[in-house]
Short mmCIF file of all heavy atoms in Angstrom, two decimals:
data_model
loop_
_atom_site.label_atom_id
_atom_site.label_comp_id
_atom_site.label_asym_id
_atom_site.label_seq_id
_atom_site.Cartn_x
_atom_site.Cartn_y
_atom_site.Cartn_z
N LEU D 106 -4.83 -1.06 6.58
CA LEU D 106 -4.83 -2.43 6.07
C LEU D 106 -5.87 -3.28 6.78
O LEU D 106 -6.49 -4.16 6.18
CB LEU D 106 -3.44 -3.05 6.23
CG LEU D 106 -2.35 -2.52 5.30
CD1 LEU D 106 -0.97 -2.99 5.77
CD2 LEU D 106 -2.61 -2.98 3.86
N TYR D 107 -6.06 -3.01 8.06
CA TYR D 107 -7.01 -3.79 8.87
C TYR D 107 -8.46 -3.34 8.64
O TYR D 107 -9.35 -4.15 8.43
CB TYR D 107 -6.66 -3.66 10.35
CG TYR D 107 -7.66 -4.31 11.28
CD1 TYR D 107 -7.70 -5.69 11.43
CD2 TYR D 107 -8.57 -3.53 11.99
CE1 TYR D 107 -8.62 -6.29 12.29
CE2 TYR D 107 -9.50 -4.12 12.84
CZ TYR D 107 -9.51 -5.50 12.99
OH TYR D 107 -10.43 -6.08 13.83
N SER D 108 -8.68 -2.02 8.67
CA SER D 108 -10.05 -1.50 8.64
C SER D 108 -10.59 -1.27 7.23
O SER D 108 -11.81 -1.25 7.04
CB SER D 108 -10.12 -0.17 9.40
OG SER D 108 -9.39 0.84 8.70
N LYS D 109 -9.69 -1.05 6.27
CA LYS D 109 -10.08 -0.70 4.89
C LYS D 109 -10.89 0.59 4.86
O LYS D 109 -11.66 0.86 3.91
CB LYS D 109 -10.91 -1.81 4.23
CG LYS D 109 -10.32 -3.20 4.34
CD LYS D 109 -9.00 -3.33 3.63
CE LYS D 109 -8.47 -4.76 3.67
NZ LYS D 109 -7.13 -4.90 3.10
N ALA D 110 -10.73 1.45 5.86
CA ALA D 110 -11.52 2.67 5.97
C ALA D 110 -11.13 3.68 4.89
O ALA D 110 -10.04 3.64 4.33
CB ALA D 110 -11.33 3.30 7.35
N ASP D 111 -12.07 4.60 4.61
CA ASP D 111 -11.81 5.66 3.64
C ASP D 111 -10.93 6.76 4.23
O ASP D 111 -10.17 7.42 3.51
CB ASP D 111 -13.13 6.27 3.15
CG ASP D 111 -14.00 5.26 2.44
OD1 ASP D 111 -13.51 4.63 1.49
OD2 ASP D 111 -15.16 5.09 2.84
N ILE D 112 -11.08 6.98 5.54
CA ILE D 112 -10.29 8.00 6.23
C ILE D 112 -9.77 7.39 7.54
O ILE D 112 -10.55 6.81 8.30
CB ILE D 112 -11.13 9.25 6.54
CG1 ILE D 112 -11.71 9.84 5.25
CG2 ILE D 112 -10.29 10.31 7.26
CD1 ILE D 112 -12.70 10.98 5.47
N ILE D 113 -8.48 7.53 7.78
CA ILE D 113 -7.87 7.05 9.03
C ILE D 113 -7.26 8.25 9.73
O ILE D 113 -6.48 9.00 9.14
CB ILE D 113 -6.79 5.97 8.78
CG1 ILE D 113 -7.41 4.73 8.11
CG2 ILE D 113 -6.13 5.57 10.09
CD1 ILE D 113 -7.39 4.75 6.61
N ILE D 114 -7.63 8.46 11.01
CA ILE D 114 -7.24 9.65 11.75
C ILE D 114 -6.38 9.28 12.94
O ILE D 114 -6.77 8.43 13.75
CB ILE D 114 -8.48 10.41 12.26
CG1 ILE D 114 -9.45 10.70 11.10
CG2 ILE D 114 -8.09 11.69 12.99
CD1 ILE D 114 -10.78 11.28 11.55
N GLY D 115 -5.22 9.91 13.07
CA GLY D 115 -4.36 9.71 14.22
C GLY D 115 -4.53 10.82 15.25
O GLY D 115 -5.26 11.79 15.04
N ASN D 116 -3.84 10.68 16.36
CA ASN D 116 -3.83 11.73 17.39
C ASN D 116 -2.58 12.59 17.17
O ASN D 116 -1.74 12.28 16.32
CB ASN D 116 -3.84 11.12 18.79
CG ASN D 116 -4.55 12.02 19.80
OD1 ASN D 116 -4.58 13.24 19.64
ND2 ASN D 116 -5.11 11.43 20.84
N PHE D 117 -2.42 13.66 17.95
CA PHE D 117 -1.32 14.57 17.68
C PHE D 117 -0.86 15.31 18.93
O PHE D 117 -1.55 15.36 19.96
CB PHE D 117 -1.73 15.58 16.61
CG PHE D 117 -2.91 16.44 16.97
CD1 PHE D 117 -2.74 17.67 17.60
CD2 PHE D 117 -4.20 16.03 16.68
CE1 PHE D 117 -3.83 18.46 17.93
CE2 PHE D 117 -5.30 16.82 17.00
CZ PHE D 117 -5.11 18.03 17.62
N TYR D 118 0.34 15.86 18.82
CA TYR D 118 0.88 16.78 19.82
C TYR D 118 0.74 18.20 19.29
O TYR D 118 0.72 18.43 18.07
CB TYR D 118 2.37 16.53 20.06
CG TYR D 118 2.75 15.15 20.51
CD1 TYR D 118 3.23 14.21 19.60
CD2 TYR D 118 2.68 14.79 21.85
CE1 TYR D 118 3.61 12.95 20.00
CE2 TYR D 118 3.07 13.52 22.26
CZ TYR D 118 3.53 12.61 21.34
OH TYR D 118 3.92 11.35 21.74
N GLU D 119 0.70 19.16 20.20
CA GLU D 119 0.87 20.56 19.83
C GLU D 119 2.19 21.04 20.43
O GLU D 119 2.47 20.80 21.60
CB GLU D 119 -0.28 21.42 20.34
CG GLU D 119 -1.56 21.25 19.53
CD GLU D 119 -2.66 22.22 19.93
OE1 GLU D 119 -2.55 22.82 21.02
OE2 GLU D 119 -3.63 22.35 19.17
N LYS D 120 3.00 21.69 19.60
CA LYS D 120 4.30 22.18 20.03
C LYS D 120 4.29 23.70 20.03
O LYS D 120 4.01 24.33 19.03
CB LYS D 120 5.39 21.67 19.09
CG LYS D 120 6.80 22.13 19.43
CD LYS D 120 7.81 21.53 18.45
CE LYS D 120 9.23 21.99 18.77
NZ LYS D 120 9.43 23.41 18.41
#
Side-chain angles (χ1 to χ4, degrees):
L106 288 167
Y107 174 76
S108 68
K109 310 297 184 186
D111 298 306
I112 303 173
I113 297 92
I114 306 172
N116 210 333
F117 60 92
Y118 302 98
E119 285 186 345
K120 179 178 179 288

